[in-house]
Amino acid sequence: MDHKYAALRRAAEETAAVDAHAHNLVAAAACSAFPFLRCFSEADAPDALAFAPHTLSFKRSLRDIAALYNCEASLEKVEEFRRAEGLSSISSKCFKAANLSAILIDDGIQFDNMLELEAHKAFVPAVGRILRIEKLAETIINDESFSVSSWTLDSFTEIFVTKLKSASNKIVGLKSIAAYRSGLEIDPNVSRADAEDGLRKELSGQRPLRITNKNLIDYLFTCSLEIAVSYDLPMQIHTGFGDKDLDLRKCNPLHLRAVLEDARFSKCQIVLLHASYPFSKEASYLASVYSQVYLDFGLAIPKLSVQGMTSSLKELLELAPIKKVMFSTDGYAFPETYYLGARRARDVVYHVLSAACEDGDLSIQEATDAIEDIFRRNAMCLYKLNVANGSVGQITTVTDNSIFLSEQDVLFVRVVWNDASGQHRCRVVPAGRFYDIARKKGIGLTFASMGMTSFTDGPADGSNLTGVGEIRLVPDMSTLLRLPWSRREEMVMAEMQIRPGEAWEYCPRNTLRKVTKVLLDEFNVTMKAGFENEFYLRKKLVSGEKELWVPFDNSPYCSTTAFDGASSMLQEIYTSLKAADIVVEQLHAESGKGQFEIALKYVLCSLAADKLIYAREIIKSVARKHGLLATFLPKPDLNDIGSGSHVHLSLWENDQNVFMGSSEYNYYGMSRVGENFLAGVYHHLPSILAFTAPHPNSYNRIQPNTWSGAYQCWGKENREAPLRTACPPGIPLDLVSNFEIKAFDACANPHLGLAAIVAAGIDGLRKGLKLPEPTESNPADYASKLKRMPQDLTESVEALAADEILHDLIGDKLVTAVIAVRKAEIDHYAKNPAAFADLIHRY
């Protein structure tokens, strides 16, 4: 089974995780007062702790640590290794093995000689603070500068609330340990008189006091929830097991029903910690019926047996949405606790999700997505962490406020979409408003937006889209990117929704998701895509009153001189792409004057389309910083070579490339699935061009003898064919691993272009379509026998208008709007040929 789920296993092991709940490390000097046995048990009394080595968790965890340290699996040898290596060395080793990209620390638990938050950044890229409300209250009351007799509930509340508010932009969430003090049956309507009485009773005791009065705790909890709602801060709540201070009977999360039913707190995100063990089923139920309830399984993993961890996680997933389940280590004091939590969580999540695949609950792709959600994405969205396309490497530490996004840090957020004419557009929202409102509710946009052309910001006739009606641009927070070239701004891709949660039928990103779901549901296949970005660099030349954009240089293909001249800019582009988690495979000078190419690594096609948009934004913006203009227009100079966005495509099933042939079936290196899919693309290629070569200017590029695919044919490693099957290094010569579409350029909306390709491939798979024989030399030599690809946009549009398959799979309304936009552009540029010159600023 492990081979079948190799990709799932790899995702579980390699995902850089956000540890959403942990505690401070302690300095080496504290070890004598804080025995290493505490690493393995919640017990603290010496007599109870003495039995820890006889638990299943201890025996397994000791072996895990010994394997990491490459020492004998005994407590004595592990402790000997720890002493010899020192805290810094073992911490580096543990955190590296844990592969954590961020840790959120509740520093309210008190250890002797515990490290400050700042010190943890030596071991992990990002550190955020969780504020424990009971500890804050006790710190205020125990402050010796205040007289006991001077306290009233009003004066205490004023200071408590003020401190919470002042901390709100320095923390990522709040936490309550009410379960340890008086239990979870919290009364959100506790009277002020009862709370005042509770405060008086607490003040009558000795200092430093530890708050235990239920009325006062309920009051503190309710005040804190009100702050959490106002400042959009999640509230973590200890539930389930812990040390012997708590009464487990009072730690069942079902006791929280009065809080969850209170309308004041319906929008407050509440995180039930520790899988609520042994009440995991109850927690799962609450997360399924209350929108504000989320789950975190730290502590249960790794403190339970393997069967216990597995059953607890399974119980959480019985009812709870995957989008609400999160990983944490509950690491504390010892770096090994972070390692053990991460090590076992990865293993348990993999086994639970692979079993769900075997049972038919999930597809492998859905399980892989679930790993990304559980280990990273859910926490990033919930705690509003600063991300870069999935990476949190840009966060430093809470002391510089950069983990929590505020006006002092980020000023603007660009909400980005790509319209039917392939233009990048954005609405910009001040960061404060974005995180308070727009992040969840979106921003308004006219229906006309998907009917606009490259020459005017009004809807094309016949698109059926007008200025009447409005959609919501809802940010997809998993795509949030801190702009590498403008550090006080972010951008995020938008979903187009007609109402919350309901996709608009014209939304390009949803269209691609829709057709790829058909591909997955019917054939258990996904498509990966890797784009080659060709673009021209132009420099400004002012002649009199005229402003001219002339070629950056005049060097040939793969020229070292050309690369050297642009090296500083290309270095910044590469660094910015890397920061955005966009992998560059190659870059070089192309054949045109001032033309370059940057090839991106293949990823799932929906992700590839997002990354392509971000890559173009980065390239154009960095070039602008260097005083240059980067244009992706297909043919900016009719006397020079064109620019494409060639895309390499492959088909995958269970981490296996199923486009590639095998001993069972090998048609010119392709599998049967590969041949059928490519045959569908071949059959629908004229229609596809209305999406992938969507501008009149596109057809100035698609000409014979220019490696752009002018004749309808295919061939193995034939760069003159519009469809080229490829055998890259490392692939046996009798096989091919992917195919390339030449007629894809930067005027295309990448989501719609890929959607059209997938739709055509689905038709090929459904019908078992076959390919003609390959063309093995220059297609121009067979011009009398081969059909020309559409020679202008009109021919492509006519093909699309008659293509019922693409209408059906993509959506008739969207196809109608696309055709209207294309016809408007055909008419405009036929009448205004000089208008092409302005397009270098649009593409």
Side-chain angles (χ1 to χ4, degrees):
M1 189 172 96
D2 281 349
H3 176 72
K4 181 179 179 182
Y5 297 111
L8 192 64
R9 166 68 81 177
R10 188 162 60 250
E13 292 176 349
E14 295 179 0
T15 298
V18 174
D19 185 351
H21 177 258
H23 306 278
N24 304 63
L25 294 168
V26 298
C31 291
S32 58
F34 203 75
F36 184 55
L37 266 179
R38 290 282 301 274
C39 176
F40 305 96
S41 174
E42 286 293 286
D44 54 6
D47 54 347
L49 197 58
F51 285 95
H54 305 288
T55 63
L56 300 179
S57 172
F58 174 89
K59 295 177 184 297
R60 180 194 69 241
S61 297
L62 187 66
R63 288 194 300 273
D64 286 344
I65 295 171
L68 178 66
Y69 291 164
N70 195 26
C71 68
E72 181 184 313
S74 70
L75 185 60
E76 294 75 18
K77 292 297 182 182
V78 168
E79 290 196 273
E80 182 181 307
F81 180 90
R82 298 181 85 251
R83 287 191 295 270
E85 289 290 311
L87 178 65
S88 179
S89 176
I90 62 171
S91 295
S92 295
K93 190 181 293 288
C94 288
F95 279 104
K96 181 179 180 181
N99 190 18
L100 303 177
S101 59
I103 51 175
L104 309 184
I105 293 179
D106 161 24
D107 58 355
I109 189 170
Q110 292 299 298
F111 302 129
D112 290 336
N113 295 306
M114 73 182 196
L115 301 185
E116 297 295 327
L117 289 181
E118 177 78 12
H120 294 78
K121 72 176 182 179
F123 310 117
V124 70
V127 180
R129 185 187 180 208
I130 302 289
L131 190 153
R132 187 183 291 201
I133 61 173
E134 292 83 4
K135 177 65 178 176
L136 174 63
E138 290 164 352
T139 300
I140 293 169
I141 292 175
N142 289 323
D143 188 337
E144 293 182 358
S145 63
F146 291 97
S147 156
V148 171
S149 61
S150 67
W151 281 115
T152 65
L153 185 65
D154 286 340
S155 62
F156 167 75
T157 301
E158 181 180 358
I159 295 175
F160 179 74
V161 169
T162 298
K163 286 186 176 292
L164 275 183
K165 288 181 177 180
S166 66
S168 64
N169 69 336
K170 304 179 183 70
I171 60 177
V172 295
L174 302 176
K175 179 184 174 182
S176 171
I177 55 166
Y180 271 102
R181 306 299 177 83
S182 55
L184 295 179
E185 199 168 358
I186 293 166
D187 179 7
N189 297 306
V190 60
S191 70
R192 291 184 62 84
D194 287 341
E196 184 97 55
D197 181 64
L199 178 62
R200 281 198 301 270
K201 288 178 179 177
E202 293 287 2
L203 293 173
S204 66
Q206 292 185 337
R207 290 192 184 187
L209 65 83
R210 177 177 180 271
I211 299 174
T212 58
N213 182 273
K214 183 180 185 311
N215 287 331
L216 182 57
I217 287 173
D218 291 357
Y219 177 78
L220 289 173
F221 186 92
T222 304
C223 288
S224 300
L225 276 190
E226 290 172 347
I227 298 297
V229 170
S230 298
Y231 289 86
D232 199 15
L233 291 169
M235 170 71 87
Q236 296 183 348
I237 303 177
H238 181 105
T239 61
F241 74 136
D243 62 43
K244 67 183 179 66
D245 280 354
L246 58 74
D247 182 341
L248 190 58
R249 296 167 298 179
K250 297 180 180 180
C251 297
N252 188 326
L254 292 180
H255 290 309
L256 290 168
R257 188 171 187 275
V259 173
L260 300 177
E261 286 289 322
D262 195 309
R264 291 173 296 168
F265 310 128
S266 63
K267 300 299 182 183
C268 181
Q269 295 139 325
I270 290 175
V271 183
L272 307 181
L273 296 173
H274 312 317
S276 299
Y277 182 83
F279 309 111
S280 301
K281 288 182 178 179
E282 289 87 341
S284 179
Y285 162 73
L286 291 175
S288 73
V289 297
Y290 289 102
S291 63
Q292 69 268 44
V293 174
Y294 294 76
L295 309 176
D296 182 305
F297 54 72
L299 187 64
I301 301 174
K303 287 297 192 286
L304 303 180
S305 69
V306 171
Q307 288 299 319
M309 293 186 292
T310 302
S311 63
S312 180
L313 182 58
K314 282 184 174 180
E315 287 177 356
L316 291 185
L317 294 174
E318 291 288 341
L319 292 172
I322 292 170
K323 289 287 188 183
K324 289 185 168 190
V325 178
M326 287 171 288
F327 155 81
S328 75
T329 63
D330 197 41
Y332 58 92
F334 309 99
E336 291 87 350
T337 58
Y338 286 91
Y339 166 66
L340 292 171
R343 157 82 173 79
R344 282 297 157 181
R346 295 179 190 279
D347 194 57
V348 171
V349 169
Y350 163 72
H351 281 100
V352 169
L353 294 182
S354 60
C357 293
E358 285 292 299
D359 294 340
D361 284 333
L362 295 174
S363 68
I364 293 177
Q365 184 59 53
E366 289 169 336
T368 304
D369 289 343
I371 284 175
E372 184 82 358
D373 286 337
I374 290 169
F375 281 105
R376 187 183 66 83
R377 217 154 31 203
N378 293 347
M380 286 195 168
C381 291
L382 182 67
Y383 296 104
K384 296 172 284 298
L385 305 185
N386 189 4
V387 299
N389 245 28
S391 167
V392 293
Q394 295 179 8
I395 310 172
T396 53
T397 167
V398 71
T399 56
D400 64 7
N401 292 346
S402 62
I403 196 167
F404 185 87
L405 301 176
S406 67
E407 285 285 3
Q408 288 118 11
D409 185 24
V410 174
L411 286 179
F412 300 133
V413 181
R414 305 180 188 184
V415 183
V416 177
W417 73 98
N418 193 284
D419 66 17
S421 69
Q423 293 182 88
H424 298 198
R425 299 181 186 265
C426 72
R427 297 282 289 274
V428 181
V429 185
R433 181 173 178 80
F434 178 85
Y435 283 98
D436 287 344
I437 299 172
R439 181 175 69 90
K440 291 182 179 179
K441 296 183 179 179
I443 55 180
L445 186 70
T446 174
F447 279 5
S449 60
M450 279 300 288
M452 293 179 181
T453 67
S454 65
F455 63 86
T456 187
D457 291 335
D461 291 342
S463 65
N464 298 324
L465 295 167
T466 70
V468 179
E470 189 168 84
I471 61 165
R472 290 288 177 268
L473 290 176
V474 179
D476 177 354
M477 295 300 289
S478 70
T479 69
L480 187 70
L481 171 66
R482 186 75 164 268
L483 300 189
W485 67 90
S486 181
R487 299 294 299 149
R488 301 198 74 184
E489 293 185 65
E490 295 173 324
M491 65 180 173
V492 63
M493 293 297 298
E495 298 285 355
M496 293 179 167
Q497 297 182 354
I498 194 67
R499 56 181 61 87
E502 182 181 337
W504 191 36
E505 54 202 329
Y506 295 87
C507 176
R509 296 179 84 231
N510 185 67
T511 299
L512 179 56
R513 272 198 305 272
K514 180 178 67 175
V515 294
T516 53
K517 185 177 187 301
V518 174
L519 182 65
L520 181 65
D521 290 348
E522 293 190 18
F523 304 102
N524 198 30
V525 167
T526 58
M527 187 176 80
K528 294 185 180 181
F531 284 93
E532 299 174 4
N533 288 275
E534 294 177 336
F535 59 95
Y536 276 91
L537 291 177
R538 296 283 192 255
K539 56 187 178 183
K540 187 189 294 188
L541 179 66
V542 178
S543 177
E545 296 183 356
K546 287 187 177 181
E547 182 183 271
L548 304 175
W549 290 94
V550 299
F552 173 73
D553 71 2
N554 192 23
S555 302
Y557 172 71
C558 282
S559 165
T560 55
T561 301
F563 193 89
D564 189 56
S567 180
S568 62
M569 183 201 68
L570 293 172
Q571 288 178 34
E572 185 173 349
I573 287 173
Y574 172 77
T575 302
S576 298
L577 291 169
K578 187 176 180 180
D581 198 29
I582 299 173
V583 179
V584 174
E585 293 198 325
Q586 291 188 47
L587 58 167
H588 61 84
E590 261 294 352
S591 298
K593 296 180 181 65
Q595 188 184 33
F596 290 84
E597 178 181 305
I598 297 178
L600 308 181
K601 181 178 175 60
Y602 65 88
V603 291
L604 280 174
C605 62
S606 55
L607 188 57
D610 289 344
K611 287 180 181 289
L612 181 65
I613 291 171
Y614 279 4
R616 290 175 184 160
E617 286 292 306
I618 288 170
I619 293 167
K620 289 175 77 72
S621 298
V622 173
R624 192 177 297 115
K625 274 184 62 178
H626 287 256
L628 300 173
L629 180 137
T631 179
F632 295 85
L633 188 67
K635 196 78 168 177
D637 184 345
L638 298 182
N639 297 312
D640 208 340
I641 202 75
S643 291
S645 288
H646 312 156
V647 61
H648 288 258
L649 303 163
S650 51
L651 304 175
W652 296 78
E653 180 180 356
N654 301 335
D655 199 37
Q656 297 296 313
N657 185 327
V658 294
F659 183 78
M660 194 185 306
S662 66
S663 57
E664 297 177 2
Y665 191 92
N666 186 335
Y667 181 76
Y668 292 98
M670 289 176 278
S671 67
R672 189 184 304 277
V673 167
E675 182 196 2
N676 293 160
F677 188 95
L678 185 57
V681 175
Y682 173 87
H683 178 74
H684 291 277
L685 199 52
S687 305
I688 292 172
L689 258 62
F691 291 98
T692 63
H695 199 280
N697 184 253
S698 302
Y699 297 82
N700 293 321
R701 170 181 166 264
I702 304 173
Q703 298 295 325
N705 301 309
T706 59
W707 296 10
S708 56
Y711 293 88
Q712 189 166 358
C713 61
W714 74 278
K716 182 176 179 180
E717 298 295 5
N718 188 340
R719 284 174 167 78
E720 280 290 354
L723 299 175
R724 171 176 77 102
T725 59
C727 177
I731 301 299
L733 293 177
D734 63 331
L735 299 177
V736 292
S737 64
N738 66 84
F739 70 96
E740 178 187 27
I741 295 184
K742 289 285 188 179
F744 204 125
D745 65 47
C747 291
N749 179 303
H751 296 89
L752 295 182
L754 290 174
I757 293 166
V758 173
I762 289 170
D763 188 44
L765 289 169
R766 284 174 174 174
K767 296 175 179 175
L769 296 178
K770 298 293 184 181
L771 285 166
E773 288 297 305
T775 299
E776 297 180 338
S777 59
N778 190 341
D781 296 341
Y782 306 93
S784 61
K785 298 179 181 179
L786 292 175
K787 181 182 178 182
R788 272 296 300 269
M789 291 292 290
Q791 296 186 57
D792 56 38
L793 183 56
T794 299
E795 292 183 20
S796 296
V797 168
E798 289 172 351
L800 176 59
D803 196 322
E804 295 180 0
I805 300 298
L806 265 58
H807 277 258
D808 178 57
L809 284 169
I810 292 174
D812 187 65
K813 289 184 179 179
L814 176 55
V815 171
T816 297
V818 166
I819 288 174
V821 170
R822 305 293 180 260
K823 287 182 174 180
E825 299 200 316
I826 292 166
D827 181 66
H828 177 79
Y829 291 103
K831 295 175 180 176
N832 304 279
F836 280 117
D838 295 330
L839 293 176
I840 60 171
H841 302 286
R842 290 183 177 255
Y843 296 101

